[in-house]
Amino acid sequence: MKCILVVNAGSSSVKFQVFALEGAQGLEQLIRGEMDGIGSRPRLRARDKHDTTLVDQTFSLESVPDVATAMRAAGSWLLDNQKLEIAAVGHRVVHGGPKYDRPTIIDDQILEDLARYAPLAPLHQPNNLTPIRAIRSRFPQLPQVACFDTAFHRGHDSVADHFAIPESLYAEGVRRYGFHGLSYEYIAGRLRELFPHIASGRVIVAHLGSGASMCALLNGRSVESTMGFTALDGLPMGTRSGQIDPGVILYLMAEKGMNPEAVQKFLYSECGLKGLSGISNDVRDLQSSREPGAILAIDYFVHRIGLHAGMLAAAVGGLDAFVFTAGIGERSPTMRARIAEKLAWLGAELDPAANASGKTVISPEGSRVTLCVLPTNEELMIARHSLALLTAAAGQDRRRSA
């Protein structure tokens, strides 16, 4: 059975899904799994489409010390035990830079280009590229597709993707890109399927997880995003600062003697909810704590979401719907309720019972702003893009041979 393997690699985990090339839409999910705990307690887990456990195996730290070895271990299990015929591998790549604005089949030049963008996404880009290199070394003829988190936002107007700096820097690629684009693209598609009257209007989607951002959609198109040049901007995140006065960076360097590498590590790894609370980067831990730092961190997170919602509503001239997605957005009724309070001035009302029971629509019928909860699926989006590129390439081959 021919399949598409989708890989979503992070700093301490490699998530994967396998889609068969069949079914009503050409894709059927067969397997979903991940190798997590890389660098500490590596563990490979996977389930089939019926949610039956296929593997739950722990590894020694020595045998799986990094993302590359994790990918080899997961790949060996897939090939040896599942007898799959992989037709292509699709990858989430966080940063496409100024050059790549759509999914692309990877070659040596593209891989070299993408490596240059690592300073723009230091937590993500190197880990995104590691599985690509590992697969290319073992299966050089296997097509691999890069799907970019920045691509969905590339249609922004000039006023939205410029900084107030000389144009020469914009030409070099110093601009506002926006991220979590695969998630927003999937949600935009789900809105068209489920609520076409909402999808054609003014929508804010909140991708709230350890990495968090928000995006304003107008008729399904990204108009504005809270993230910019890097994945540091906008909302506070698990360990990332979010929006910060550039003067703070100058202060850290001039008065605290921090070099660029130290500042980068600080802003990506020691700030956000972790920095504010002094306890944890996990919202679940913070919500269960009565420590003043934990309370401050949650209050700040909600406050900044409310502020950015106002900015995004201004970008599209009002608000018809607000969509919660990703880990916090999908699973925390308490956080949804607190955020909904911040949206009341825009006309949003919450149905507490619908929110508590995890309904798709969590606002009452009379609410001027519809509140929705939609699970995201970046991996399915990657599989769709990969299939489309494979189909196009096969069509070109047929035309050349005709």
Side-chain angles (χ1 to χ4, degrees):
M1 180 185 300
K2 287 191 174 182
C3 304
I4 290 177
L5 169 64
V6 173
V7 177
N8 188 343
S11 58
S12 61
S13 68
V14 176
K15 297 178 183 178
F16 58 89
Q17 290 193 37
V18 177
F19 296 86
L21 297 181
E22 59 183 25
Q25 296 185 355
L27 292 166
E28 180 188 8
Q29 186 201 64
L30 296 180
I31 298 169
R32 72 181 190 280
E34 68 177 314
M35 173 77 85
D36 61 8
I38 300 169
S40 56
R41 296 184 297 275
R43 183 180 180 185
L44 173 63
R45 288 175 285 184
R47 292 178 174 271
D48 66 12
K49 62 182 179 182
H50 304 297
D51 208 32
T52 301
T53 298
L54 299 174
V55 65
D56 189 343
Q57 180 181 355
T58 57
F59 295 79
S60 68
L61 176 58
E62 294 74 20
S63 64
V64 184
D66 52 32
V67 171
T69 53
M71 192 64 216
R72 283 196 291 270
S76 295
W77 174 78
L78 281 168
L79 294 174
D80 296 342
N81 293 279
Q82 299 303 307
K83 311 301 182 185
L84 301 172
E85 183 182 352
I86 305 297
V89 184
H91 298 266
R92 176 190 177 216
V93 177
V94 165
H95 217 303
K99 187 173 181 180
Y100 298 102
D101 62 356
R102 65 199 64 191
T104 304
I105 295 178
I106 299 164
D107 58 25
D108 289 338
Q109 182 59 58
I110 290 170
L111 191 53
E112 183 179 329
D113 289 344
L114 297 180
R116 295 195 188 102
Y117 305 141
L120 308 186
L123 286 189
H124 303 89
Q125 198 85 346
N127 292 311
N128 297 158
L129 301 184
T130 293
I132 297 174
R133 294 191 180 99
I135 292 169
R136 280 177 69 79
S137 67
R138 187 173 176 186
F139 306 103
Q141 302 306 313
L142 181 63
Q144 297 193 75
V145 177
C147 298
F148 304 103
D149 258 347
T150 50
F152 184 63
H153 305 290
R154 288 299 298 276
H156 284 181
D157 290 341
S158 293
V159 292
D161 72 357
H162 272 70
F163 293 110
I165 57 177
E167 184 69 15
S168 58
L169 286 168
Y170 178 86
E172 291 178 18
V174 183
R175 60 185 72 173
R176 298 187 71 249
Y177 291 97
F179 297 88
H180 293 133
L182 291 163
S183 177
Y184 294 129
E185 184 180 8
Y186 177 80
I187 294 298
R190 287 293 286 157
L191 285 173
R192 284 192 295 271
E193 294 170 7
L194 298 173
F195 310 110
H197 62 292
I198 292 175
S200 62
R202 304 161 298 180
V203 179
I204 294 174
V205 183
H207 179 106
L208 305 178
S210 180
S213 71
M214 295 160 65
C215 175
L217 302 178
L218 188 61
N219 196 23
R221 182 178 68 90
S222 173
V223 171
E224 184 61 89
S225 172
T226 57
M227 281 184 169
F229 180 54
T230 70
L232 273 176
D233 201 7
L235 302 178
M237 291 163 256
T239 62
R240 284 173 263 171
S241 63
Q243 184 181 37
I244 192 168
D245 185 336
V248 175
I249 314 304
L250 299 176
Y251 177 85
L252 293 175
M253 298 179 76
E255 301 299 326
K256 296 298 183 181
M258 296 173 69
N259 61 28
E261 292 76 17
V263 171
Q264 176 174 286
K265 181 180 179 182
F266 175 73
L267 294 176
Y268 275 98
S269 303
E270 301 299 329
C271 294
L273 301 181
K274 176 183 176 182
L276 275 172
S277 69
I279 295 172
S280 174
N281 64 336
D282 193 314
V283 164
R284 292 167 296 186
D285 296 336
L286 300 177
Q287 286 185 296
S288 64
S289 172
R290 300 313 302 164
E291 291 292 323
I295 295 170
L296 172 63
I298 292 294
D299 288 348
Y300 184 85
F301 186 57
V302 172
H303 174 67
R304 300 304 295 187
I305 291 171
L307 289 179
H308 281 88
M311 176 192 76
L312 294 176
V316 291
L319 188 61
D320 300 310
F322 188 98
V323 180
F324 295 92
T325 195
I328 298 168
E330 294 171 24
R331 302 187 190 108
S332 178
T334 302
M335 292 300 293
R336 293 196 298 263
R338 293 199 56 182
I339 293 165
E341 289 180 12
K342 294 290 186 180
L343 305 176
W345 70 277
L346 287 164
E349 299 176 46
L350 182 73
D351 180 334
N355 181 45
S357 59
K359 299 291 188 182
T360 298
V361 176
I362 59 171
S363 53
E365 192 168 326
S367 178
R368 194 163 75 244
V369 173
T370 302
L371 301 176
C372 300
V373 183
L374 292 177
T376 192
N377 195 333
E378 295 164 318
E379 288 79 13
L380 179 56
M381 204 72 245
I382 293 168
R384 288 173 177 170
H385 285 309
S386 300
L387 177 58
L389 279 178
L390 284 180
T391 303
Q396 290 175 355
D397 290 342
R398 284 195 297 270
R399 285 191 293 272
R400 280 194 292 265
S401 61

